[in-house]
Amino acid sequence: MRFSKIVGLGHHVPETVITNAQLSAMMDTTDEWITERTGIKERRWIDPAKDTVANMATKATRLALKRANLTEKDIEFIVFATITPDYFFPGSGVLLQRELGLEGIGALDIRNACSGFIYALSVADQFIKSGMYKTILVVGAEIQSTAIDATTRGRNTAVIFADGAGAAILQPADKPGILSTHLHSDGRFAEELYVRDPGSSRPREERQPEQILDTTHFKVVMNGNQVFKHAVVRFMEVINEALNANSMKKEEITLLVPHQANLRISQFIQEKMALRDDQVYNNIMRYGNTTAASIPIALSEAWGEGRIKENDVICLAAFGSGFTWASALIRW
Ligand code: ACO
């Protein structure tokens, strides 16, 4: 039996730090409101003259390759999770393939928002297990700052979402590795957290240049209370599903790396599952919510800090737009 394992992790965040104090100068908000509701103290925003989703992903990939003692040429396939691709189409996977100079290899784009990285990891896991590829690059990268309405009108989401990229390299192993992945969705709640436009379901007459300026373009619509209520239930469900599938108990989790949606959500799960502080990794305080990039950035940082060692049991869990939710249990 062939399994897959993560052999390298990397991340990249833009240089520019935006503090809560800076946001307070742009809109009617306060450090106290943001900290109390989300736990976020600062986040990174790109410099549009320098950064793209694909080049942040390239930097994250190069670090992951270095840590894995591999080179670009070893990568046989790319799975790229993002909801903020550089272009409407094609997806950012091919741009990353181009930047890495990997002529001709396949590149798949995944757009399951905050659950995107775990969906991408699951796809890569199946390709490795089936024997189709030996080295797969899995990336989560987002630029959300360029669509943020940094005025009081956009304050309920502008203070939360931010930019960054994370990468993982997967290779075969004779024992797991990735123990299991669990993917779910419920489209009844699609409009509780979404960006409607530029969507193709609008009639042609509403898709003229003057309408591009209307407020639904790139506007994140979020029903925060609904998201919170569903997130806490689904996070716990999908973590327990992963534990049950592997006949493990929550005490056996070395580190839970949840999607960094909101510190209050992570803390709620930690409390309900009675996990110790050292069993849960959070870095949302420094980076905000980077959607598909949040788990690989957190995983890469945790690994860099020596928080993940051989044989540890790592649980990844996510919930987000769709709604979608997912988990992965990994024996390092
Ligand atoms: N600063 C100051 N006031 C604000 C801000 C802000 N940035 N944003 C909204 N407000 C105001 C609102 O206008 C509202 O004012 P009103 O009472 O005069 O109308 C008031 O604060 C309360 O607004 P709510 O939206 O009810 O705020 P709530 O207390 O629910 O907090 C939050 C919002 C933090 C989003 C909360 O609903 C939450 O934690 N939701 C979970 C969802 C989440 O975290 N989403 C982000 C991640 S999505 C994902 O990754 C899955």
Side-chain angles (χ1 to χ4, degrees):
M1 180 84 185
R2 187 170 146 126
F3 300 97
S4 81
K5 66 173 179 187
I6 295 176
V7 297
L9 289 163
H11 67 283
H12 174 80
V13 291
E15 274 167 36
T16 309
V17 176
I18 304 288
T19 63
N20 291 347
Q22 283 169 284
L23 287 183
S24 307
M26 300 175 204
M27 62 191 80
D28 184 10
T29 192
T30 59
D31 173 46
E32 194 190 0
W33 195 97
I34 301 168
T35 307
E36 202 176 282
R37 304 293 209 289
T38 72
I40 302 166
K41 297 302 281 183
E42 58 187 44
R43 73 283 293 140
R44 303 296 178 98
W45 285 7
I46 59 139
D47 172 351
K50 279 205 286 199
D51 306 306
T52 68
V53 166
N55 80 26
M56 288 200 301
T58 303
K59 288 174 185 158
T61 299
R62 294 225 157 99
L63 179 58
L65 286 169
K66 192 171 156 213
R67 285 168 164 180
N69 281 322
L70 296 171
T71 70
E72 281 88 342
K73 299 292 171 219
D74 292 306
I75 299 168
E76 295 174 341
F77 191 69
I78 295 170
V79 191
F80 199 126
T82 184
I83 49 165
T84 54
D86 295 292
Y87 303 136
F88 188 68
F89 74 83
S92 291
V94 297
L95 304 181
L96 177 59
Q97 172 264 322
R98 183 173 70 189
E99 290 208 25
L100 292 170
L102 296 172
E103 209 180 304
I105 72 160
L108 172 70
D109 285 78
I110 301 246
R111 39 177 330 199
N112 291 80
C114 306
S115 308
F117 182 78
I118 300 180
Y119 269 74
L121 193 72
S122 180
V123 169
D125 181 40
Q126 312 315 314
F127 274 141
I128 298 237
K129 279 185 188 152
S130 75
M132 185 151 173
Y133 297 114
K134 285 197 296 294
T135 306
I136 301 183
L137 167 62
V138 181
V139 163
E142 307 280 5
I143 293 178
Q144 308 186 97
S145 61
T146 49
I148 279 171
D149 178 355
T151 68
T152 299
R153 189 178 54 184
R155 68 181 176 174
N156 71 323
T157 54
V159 301
I160 295 174
F161 296 105
D163 309 338
I169 316 272
L170 265 71
Q171 285 193 327
D174 38 20
K175 58 182 178 43
I178 296 180
L179 295 162
S180 64
T181 54
H182 308 271
L183 313 177
H184 299 280
S185 71
D186 189 343
R188 286 177 301 167
F189 301 100
E191 288 79 17
E192 301 294 342
L193 175 55
Y194 81 132
V195 172
R196 178 179 147 165
D197 292 310
S200 57
S201 55
R202 275 190 156 197
R204 181 189 303 268
E205 51 282 5
E206 287 180 26
R207 296 163 63 77
Q208 301 311 309
E210 56 277 16
Q211 261 105 25
I212 302 296
L213 297 173
D214 82 17
T215 54
T216 64
H217 269 83
F218 302 108
K219 179 185 193 299
V220 180
V221 176
M222 180 176 74
N223 181 344
N225 290 331
Q226 276 285 89
V227 173
F228 192 96
K229 273 190 216 150
H230 286 260
V232 291
V233 172
R234 296 306 194 184
F235 260 113
M236 278 190 294
E237 236 175 62
V238 84
I239 294 167
N240 284 324
E241 184 182 2
L243 290 171
N244 293 339
N246 295 283
S247 305
M248 282 193 193
K249 296 193 174 62
K250 63 181 167 57
E251 292 75 15
E252 292 174 74
I253 297 177
T254 315
L255 197 64
L256 169 67
V257 181
H259 159 55
Q260 303 292 294
N262 180 322
L263 192 60
R264 285 200 319 172
I265 294 177
S266 291
Q267 287 169 338
F268 189 92
I269 299 158
Q270 179 181 340
E271 201 183 305
K272 284 277 174 211
M273 294 192 71
L275 296 172
R276 300 181 311 271
D277 284 353
D278 65 282
Q279 283 180 291
V280 185
Y281 192 83
N282 288 306
N283 62 4
I284 191 169
M285 307 70 95
R286 284 176 282 125
Y287 300 131
N289 179 336
T290 57
T291 312
S294 94
I295 290 180
I297 293 174
L299 204 52
S300 172
E301 273 210 343
W303 185 88
E305 290 165 12
R307 299 272 302 267
I308 300 176
K309 301 196 190 66
E310 206 175 332
N311 243 2
D312 281 355
V313 174
I314 309 301
C315 184
L316 311 181
F319 175 88
S321 170
F323 292 142
T324 58
W325 58 104
S327 64
L329 204 65
I330 303 168
R331 167 84 61 188
W332 212 261

